Amino acid sequence: MSFFKTLEVTETTDKKSADWSNAEHVRCLIIGSGPAGYTAAIYAARANLKPVLYQGMEAGGQLTTTTEVENFPGYPHGVTGPVLMEDIKAQAERFGTDVRWGEVTEADLTQRPFKLLADGAPILADSLIIATGATAKYLGIESENKFKGAGVSACATCDGFFYRDKVVAVVGGGDTAAEEATYLAGLASKVYLIVRKPYLRASKAMQERVIRTSNVEVLYEHVTKEITGTNVVTGVTLTKRQGETDEQDVKLAIDGFFVAIGHKPNSDIFAKYLNMDEIGYIKTVPGTAKTNVPGVFAAGDVQDSTYRQAITAAGSGCMAALDAERFLAE
Ligand SMILES: Cc1cc2nc3c(=O)[nH]c(=O)nc-3n(C[C@H](O)[C@H](O)[C@H](O)COP(=O)(O)OP(=O)(O)OC[C@H]3O[C@@H](n4cnc5c(N)ncnc54)[C@H](O)[C@@H]3O)c2cc1C
């Protein structure tokens, strides 16, 4: 039984009211410790909203899984993902953000203050900033895991620069894969686009862009079997399907392998209350971080299927905190 169902069942009992009367009540609750969450915290703390931030299972967010970040402003010589995130966290704490370990597992956004379950305890929030990010989908093969950060990437904008004049493969058949392949084609000498189906699922316009790009070769009806190499990626073995039963292995020499089969926004617990697209990206009012529920704001990758960069996440975190501050002031 869910936490809120438990509360509903005990609604008439004293225990239920005692639970909420003892619950901590905060002005601004931030969920997520990536660039969006910590940047929201910097602005919220400086506006005296006394933000409480829950880090979740991946403290520091996606950037803690990467080594070199070369495109975040302010670091002319680059910075590692973990160091960058420690720096932003320190900045948020310097202004008094209460950063806590723990996950928000349930939410009731039907009325204010919003009711949430954070790290197992009930918490009431006058305003809520959701910065829970999105998780890249991977193929799930063993060798992919082995080479993450050593030739396997899920972000061409982030890592493409390291493959200038090299040979890369992109796996996927949708718009993201087509976009990643054409982006990489501007940097790499050759791009293989590995597509499971006999056609691309990408929009007509994106398909045409792929076909017009001379250094992209589309390999239809190929499935990735194994990524190969010693310390870094040097090749990939594909299985080519021929007809119903016939299969043949194809080996390619590559330097980088980009997975572009989509992302999953971490928004499930809010699905009942917030407007989302069919994938689960939270919809915000254009030009703001406002969701359809007044007092609930969304920032970063959880509401951005287009840019998915640390700097855009940080920018929208700033917007969310400013919107929350104005909301509370009203
Ligand atoms: C390998 C890799 C390399 C990258 N390299 C670059 C790069 O070089 N440059 C660049 O600009 N971008 C890069 N990116 C993209 C960048 O990391 C993301 O765009 C950015 O981190 C998004 O920030 P965010 O704050 O929205 O979410 P995230 O960084 O995804 O953080 C989400 C946070 O939410 C927390 N969370 C989730 N659910 C809950 C919950 N229920 N309760 C509490 N907390 C929760 C998680 O623990 C996490 O802390 C890279 C991404 C990856 C995966």
Side-chain angles (χ1 to χ4, degrees), residues 71-151:
N71 53 12
F72 199 87
Y75 294 90
H77 305 294
V79 59
T80 67
V83 168
L84 172 59
M85 292 319 300
E86 275 305 313
D87 282 354
I88 310 181
K89 178 181 177 228
Q91 198 171 348
E93 286 180 322
R94 181 183 150 213
F95 298 110
T97 306
D98 184 348
V99 176
R100 299 179 185 175
W101 170 250
E103 204 175 350
V104 173
T105 47
E106 300 213 28
D108 179 351
L109 309 183
T110 46
Q111 57 182 25
R112 279 197 309 124
F114 306 117
K115 293 175 175 169
L116 299 110
L117 186 62
D119 198 25
I123 187 163
L124 299 164
D126 291 332
S127 66
L128 177 66
I129 296 176
I130 301 168
T132 46
T135 309
K137 291 184 194 162
Y138 285 90
L139 299 171
I141 56 175
E142 210 181 301
S143 50
E144 176 190 55
N145 217 18
K146 177 177 164 192
F147 291 112
K148 266 187 202 164

Side-chain angles (χ1 to χ4, degrees), residues 238-254:
L238 311 174
T239 302
K240 172 153 175 55
R241 292 203 195 123
Q242 285 170 324
E244 284 294 294
T245 50
D246 206 12
E247 286 188 348
Q248 182 195 325
D249 277 358
V250 177
K251 287 182 192 297
L252 300 176
I254 56 164

Side-chain angles (χ1 to χ4, degrees), residues 193-212:
L193 180 56
I194 304 163
V195 184
R196 197 159 41 99
K197 301 209 158 121
Y199 54 86
L200 284 168
R201 280 183 299 107
S203 64
K204 200 93 198 115
M206 282 310 301
Q207 289 187 32
E208 277 162 16
R209 255 175 75 186
V210 168
I211 288 154
R212 274 204 314 268

Side-chain angles (χ1 to χ4, degrees), residues 31-37 54-63 65-66 68-71 102-105 131-134 138 155 158-159 266 269 299-302 308-311 313:
I31 313 178
S33 55
Y54 278 89
Q55 292 180 306
M57 298 307 278
E58 193 173 47
Q62 292 173 60
L63 278 187
T65 65
T66 192
E68 216 47 27
V69 178
E70 294 192 330
N71 53 12
E103 204 175 350
V104 173
T105 47
T132 46
Y138 285 90
C155 179
C158 312
D159 296 330
N266 303 315
I269 59 170
D301 285 13
V302 74
R308 290 195 300 254
Q309 289 295 288
I311 189 64

Side-chain angles (χ1 to χ4, degrees), residues 139 144 151-153 169 171 194 224 227 233 236 254-259:
L139 299 171
E144 176 190 55
V152 169
S153 168
V171 65
I194 304 163
T224 307
I227 300 155
V233 170
V236 63
I254 56 164
D255 304 292
F257 184 85
F258 288 82
V259 186

